[in-house]
């Protein structure tokens, strides 16, 4: 049975905060996903506070922590390590003395203005990302996230059944020297929550090998457009020294490219697990005669 594209919290935010006894002020930011968390200094957190943050991330998928001016690179990395091993991004610039901290600056490859899952072209994509935005433009430069649980759950049961057992190839190709690729289930099962979500992305996903070229193109285009619908999203307006933490296993995100001013941030990503499904992989499509099939489309932008 499909579900409506909205999140139904069981309590109001103030009640949730008082029930936990941790003093956190938690406010939902959209009907689909996202919560703002106040009343905590990420520079120093206790084990109990981390457990609460982890639970909130699993529930709301993306968390925003305003007023984190005191967050140091050391504490930023330490927070990431509470979730798991931190990952060094293969292509973006890094902070001196802290190679685990990626620099997010538009003039250095940091304007990711197309819907994507971070590093899904890796065999083990990141579990989570923690972005500390230090400098932001006076207007514009928002970031949007999309709930991929809801994207899957609102597909028709017949379409859901068709997707089971399909895989998708995710490709990073920067001619002439960089190329990485990985194959993941189109529908993955979250290793903690057990919920199904769509796991294809406009920026990186190339093709579905169980389908012909034209079938793959049609299915992927439908899934891209479906998963990017506004009803599945939240949109965050940045203030300086806000930190965002998101579950990279069940969300996509995009940076809105509508500004010219300087924007600077630091990001830490947590090393991933292997995206899996509980449905056996279907066999690959067999070409008919001299049928042309081009499996290495470059980042789903320029065609085959």
């Amino acid at each position: 049975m499909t579900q409506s594209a909205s999140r139904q919290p069981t309590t109001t935010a103030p009640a949730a905060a008082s029930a936990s006894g941790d003093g956190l002020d938690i406010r939902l930011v959209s009907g689909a996903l996202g919560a703002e968390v106040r009343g905590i200094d990420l520079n120093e957190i206790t084990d109990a506070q981390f457990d609460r943050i982890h639970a909130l991330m699993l529930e709301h998928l993306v968390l925003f922590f305003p007023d984190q001016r005191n967050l140091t690179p050391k504490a930023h990395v330490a927070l990431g390590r509470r979730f798991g091993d931190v990952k060094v991004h293969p292509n973006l610039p890094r902070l001196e003395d802290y190679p685990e901290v990626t620099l997010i600056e538009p003039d250095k490859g940091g304007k990711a203005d197309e819907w994507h899952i971070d590093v899904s072209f890796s065999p083990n994509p990141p579990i989570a990302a923690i972005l500390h935005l230090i400098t932001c433009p006076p207007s514009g430069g928002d970031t949007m996230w999309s709930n991929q649980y809801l994207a899957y759950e609102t597909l028709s049961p017949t379409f859901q059944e068709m997707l089971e057992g399909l895989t998708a190839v995710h490709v990073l190709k920067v001619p002439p020297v960089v190329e990485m690729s990985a194959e993941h289930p189109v529908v993955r099962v979250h290793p903690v929550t057990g919920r199904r979500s769509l796991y294809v992305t406009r920026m990186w996903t190339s093709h579905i090998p169980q389908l012909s070229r034209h079938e793959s193109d049609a299915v992927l285009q439908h899934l891209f457009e479906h998963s990017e619908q506004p009803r599945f999203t939240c949109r965050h307006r940045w203030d300086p020294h806000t930190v965002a933490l998101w579950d990279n296993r069940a969300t996509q995100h995009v940076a809105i490219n509508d500004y010219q001013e300087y924007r600077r941030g630091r990001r830490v990503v947590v090393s991933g697990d292997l995206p899996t499904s509980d449905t056996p992989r279907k066999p690959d499509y067999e070409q008919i005669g001299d049928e042309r099939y081009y499996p290495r489309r470059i980042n789903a932008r320029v065609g085959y």
Side-chain angles (χ1 to χ4, degrees):
M1 180 180 294
T2 58
Q3 300 182 15
S4 63
S6 64
R7 181 181 41 168
Q8 301 297 326
T10 56
T11 62
T12 62
S18 61
S20 68
D22 53 22
L24 298 183
D25 180 11
I26 302 160
R27 302 173 186 270
L28 304 186
V29 299
S30 84
L33 76 166
E36 184 180 82
V37 182
R38 294 182 179 269
I40 190 169
D41 180 357
L42 295 179
N43 216 46
E44 294 183 9
I45 63 173
T46 65
D47 291 343
Q49 287 174 324
F50 171 74
D51 290 343
R52 177 80 164 127
I53 290 170
H54 191 195
L56 288 169
M57 182 192 76
L58 293 174
E59 180 180 0
H60 301 294
L61 299 180
V62 56
L63 304 178
F64 305 104
F65 302 87
D67 304 321
Q68 298 296 323
R69 184 174 301 275
N70 296 327
L71 184 64
T72 65
K74 181 179 180 180
H76 194 169
V77 174
L79 176 59
R81 285 185 173 145
R82 282 183 173 268
F83 289 93
D85 293 334
V86 296
K87 187 181 184 75
V88 177
H89 196 285
N91 302 304
L92 294 180
R94 303 158 197 158
L95 186 64
E96 187 176 358
D97 298 328
Y98 292 93
E100 306 93 340
V101 179
T102 298
L103 298 177
I104 304 299
E105 297 175 303
D107 60 347
K108 298 179 181 178
K111 191 175 285 190
D113 56 351
E114 194 164 22
W115 282 101
H116 64 285
I117 301 165
D118 281 339
V119 201
S120 66
F121 49 81
S122 166
N124 302 98
I127 292 172
I130 308 167
L131 174 60
H132 178 197
L133 201 63
I134 298 169
T135 304
C136 54
S139 61
D142 297 357
T143 303
M144 296 179 69
W145 281 264
S146 179
N147 184 333
Q148 297 305 286
Y149 291 144
L150 294 180
Y152 171 75
E153 291 164 358
T154 52
L155 294 169
S156 69
T158 300
F159 203 82
Q160 291 176 353
E161 183 179 0
M162 187 271 288
L163 295 178
E164 292 294 336
L166 299 184
T167 60
V169 176
H170 300 243
V171 177
L172 169 67
K173 195 168 185 180
V174 184
V177 294
V178 178
E179 181 170 345
M180 297 178 64
S181 66
E183 184 176 342
H184 302 303
V186 170
V187 178
R188 71 169 294 178
V189 177
H190 196 287
V192 181
T193 68
R195 294 177 67 183
R196 281 172 160 75
S197 64
L198 287 183
Y199 201 73
V200 295
T201 177
R202 188 181 295 273
M203 181 177 279
W204 308 127
T205 304
S206 165
H207 67 289
I208 298 172
Q210 292 82 12
L211 304 179
S212 72
R213 171 192 174 186
H214 297 294
E215 291 168 344
S216 173
D217 286 351
V219 169
L220 285 176
Q221 186 62 32
H222 172 67
L223 293 179
F224 296 156
E225 293 177 356
H226 176 76
S227 64
E228 297 162 7
Q229 291 182 72
R231 63 184 175 137
F232 303 139
T233 69
C234 69
R235 178 166 177 159
H236 180 67
R237 168 75 186 111
W238 293 97
D239 290 318
H241 295 287
T242 296
V243 171
L245 162 67
W246 65 93
D247 191 331
N248 196 54
R249 298 163 292 193
T251 62
Q252 294 190 56
H253 60 283
V254 61
I256 307 300
N257 186 3
D258 62 349
Y259 64 97
Q260 299 298 323
E261 297 86 356
Y262 185 60
R263 187 175 187 263
R264 179 171 63 97
R266 298 171 179 168
R267 185 176 64 188
V268 168
V269 298
V270 182
S271 294
D273 54 4
L274 179 67
T276 59
S277 169
D278 55 11
T279 304
R281 184 186 185 280
K282 293 177 181 176
D284 286 350
Y285 170 75
E286 295 184 8
Q287 297 181 32
I288 301 174
D290 61 351
E291 183 179 26
R292 300 177 68 193
Y293 184 59
Y294 303 86
R296 292 213 176 268
R297 183 167 53 173
I298 300 175
N299 297 347
R301 299 185 190 186
V302 297
Y304 284 90

